[in-house]
């Protein structure tokens, strides 16, 4: 009857509105998370590591929200390619001095900036996790002994989460940076075997890219040879 049809139409209309509102809230939350995560790049540049950590942790909170977990909209810019590496290259601020400092272990310490119109969870999630891990690692430099190790352990755990779902053939710079930074953490915590395993794997990766003349983008992480040569194990090849 007419009353039943009206009720059905009312339910459908309000259900549609509810879905649209939920989607809009999710998109706004994602945009806010990206904004917070992108801010840490400026904090890194000004050496405000505590602010970077607070900002990245706030961005990470979005990953725990049901609206984010349920919203798996396709990205405006696809995630099934080297998009994370492209984001790294688009905001490349490395200089020759970044690659030649031999006094300290080389950490890839540049946060990753995402376009605000990115909505693909396969891109957003690992980038936000990476930025948060990097914040913990850099903040650890300025902590006391107890917090120092806790922050480094937290960074290593987050790096591993960011790395685990990456395609073997995609986002090479991103994966290289993660493995390098994990290796540095192991080295700082006197886990020499774990550090050696990370750096040996990176050496083998680099050799493959050199042999195939496919290493032009890895110049951003060339500084990892500082970590390898510091142990006196290898001689860096020409890139």
């Amino acid at each position: 009857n007419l009353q039943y049809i009206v009720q059905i139409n009312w339910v459908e209309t309000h259900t549609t509105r509810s879905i649209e509102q939920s989607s809009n809230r999710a998109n706004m939350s994602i945009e806010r998370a990206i904004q917070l995560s992108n801010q840490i790049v400026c904090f890194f540049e000004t050496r405000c590591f505590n602010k970077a950590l607070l900002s990245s942790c706030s961005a990470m909170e979005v990953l725990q929200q049901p609206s984010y977990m349920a919203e798996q909209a396709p990205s405006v810019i696809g995630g099934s390619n080297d998009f994370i590496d492209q984001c790294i290259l688009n905001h490349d601020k490395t200089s020759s001095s970044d690659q030649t400092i031999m006094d300290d272990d080389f950490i890839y310490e540049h946060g990753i900036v995402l376009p605000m119109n990115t909505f693909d969870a396969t891109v957003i999630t690992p980038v936000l996790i990476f930025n948060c891990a990097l914040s913990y690692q850099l903040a650890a430099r300025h902590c006391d002994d107890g917090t120092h190790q806790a922050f480094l352990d937290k960074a290593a755990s987050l790096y591993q989460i960011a790395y685990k779902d990456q395609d073997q053939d995609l986002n090479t710079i991103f994966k290289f940076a993660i493995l390098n930074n994990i290796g540095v953490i192991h080295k700082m915590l006197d886990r020499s075997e774990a550090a050696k395993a990370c750096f040996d794997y990176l050496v083998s990766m680099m050799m493959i890219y050199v042999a195939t003349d496919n290493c032009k983008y890895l110049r951003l992480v060339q500084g990892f040879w500082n970590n390898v040569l510091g142990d006196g194990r290898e001689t860096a090849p020409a890139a």
Side-chain angles (χ1 to χ4, degrees):
N1 60 41
L2 181 60
Q3 183 178 2
Y4 177 77
I5 294 174
V6 170
Q7 290 176 339
I8 291 295
N9 289 338
W10 185 89
V11 169
E12 290 178 346
T13 299
H14 281 73
T15 299
T16 300
R17 288 178 180 174
S18 178
I19 293 173
E20 290 175 348
Q21 290 171 354
S22 296
S23 179
N24 289 337
R25 284 195 297 269
N27 289 344
M28 290 177 63
S29 296
I30 292 170
E31 290 174 357
R32 178 57 178 161
I34 293 174
Q35 183 182 43
L36 287 167
S37 184
N38 288 349
Q39 283 178 357
I40 73 167
V41 175
C42 295
F43 291 140
F44 287 159
E45 292 174 352
T46 55
R47 321 306 285 179
C48 297
F49 299 119
N50 287 335
K51 289 183 178 180
L53 185 56
L54 289 173
S55 185
S56 63
C57 286
S58 296
M60 285 281 289
E61 290 179 3
V62 174
L63 301 186
Q64 310 302 322
Q65 295 179 5
S67 59
Y68 176 82
M69 300 302 293
E71 184 69 20
Q72 300 293 328
S75 174
V76 173
I77 310 174
S80 59
N81 49 36
D82 285 316
F83 183 58
I84 298 178
D85 273 8
Q86 289 302 316
C87 290
I88 293 173
L89 292 168
N90 288 343
H91 293 83
D92 174 24
K93 294 185 178 181
T94 56
S95 65
S96 58
S97 61
D98 293 326
Q99 311 298 330
T100 57
I101 297 173
M102 299 298 291
D103 295 333
D104 300 313
D105 292 321
F106 170 77
I107 300 173
Y108 183 82
E109 56 181 20
H110 305 283
I112 301 173
V113 175
L114 286 175
M116 294 301 298
N117 62 343
T118 307
F119 293 101
D120 189 336
T122 65
V123 171
I124 298 170
T125 301
V127 169
L128 263 62
I129 293 174
F130 174 88
N131 283 347
C132 191
L134 183 57
S135 298
Y136 272 105
Q137 185 173 11
L138 297 180
R141 292 172 170 174
H142 307 281
C143 298
D144 57 39
D145 290 342
T147 308
H148 173 81
Q149 179 167 346
F151 274 21
L152 290 179
D153 283 333
K154 180 68 173 179
S157 297
L158 290 171
Y159 280 136
Q160 289 166 358
I161 294 171
Y163 183 90
K164 69 176 184 178
D165 291 328
Q166 293 301 306
D167 188 285
Q168 181 177 354
D169 299 320
L170 300 176
N171 294 313
T172 301
I173 301 171
F174 182 62
K175 292 182 295 187
F176 212 98
I178 290 175
L179 289 176
N180 176 81
N181 288 3
I182 291 176
V184 172
I185 290 172
H186 286 317
K187 186 176 179 181
M188 294 176 70
L189 295 176
D190 295 323
R191 300 167 184 165
S192 56
E193 290 301 315
K196 182 178 183 300
C198 286
F199 296 142
D200 283 350
Y201 185 73
L202 291 179
V203 169
S204 65
M205 284 179 62
M206 183 65 84
M207 293 300 187
I208 292 172
Y209 286 113
V210 169
T212 57
D213 195 27
N214 192 31
C215 62
K216 58 181 179 179
Y217 294 139
L218 293 181
R219 62 182 174 76
L220 283 81
V221 288
Q222 277 286 309
F224 98 96
W225 286 111
N226 295 358
N227 305 329
V228 176
L229 295 173
D231 291 341
R233 294 198 308 272
E234 302 287 346
T235 301

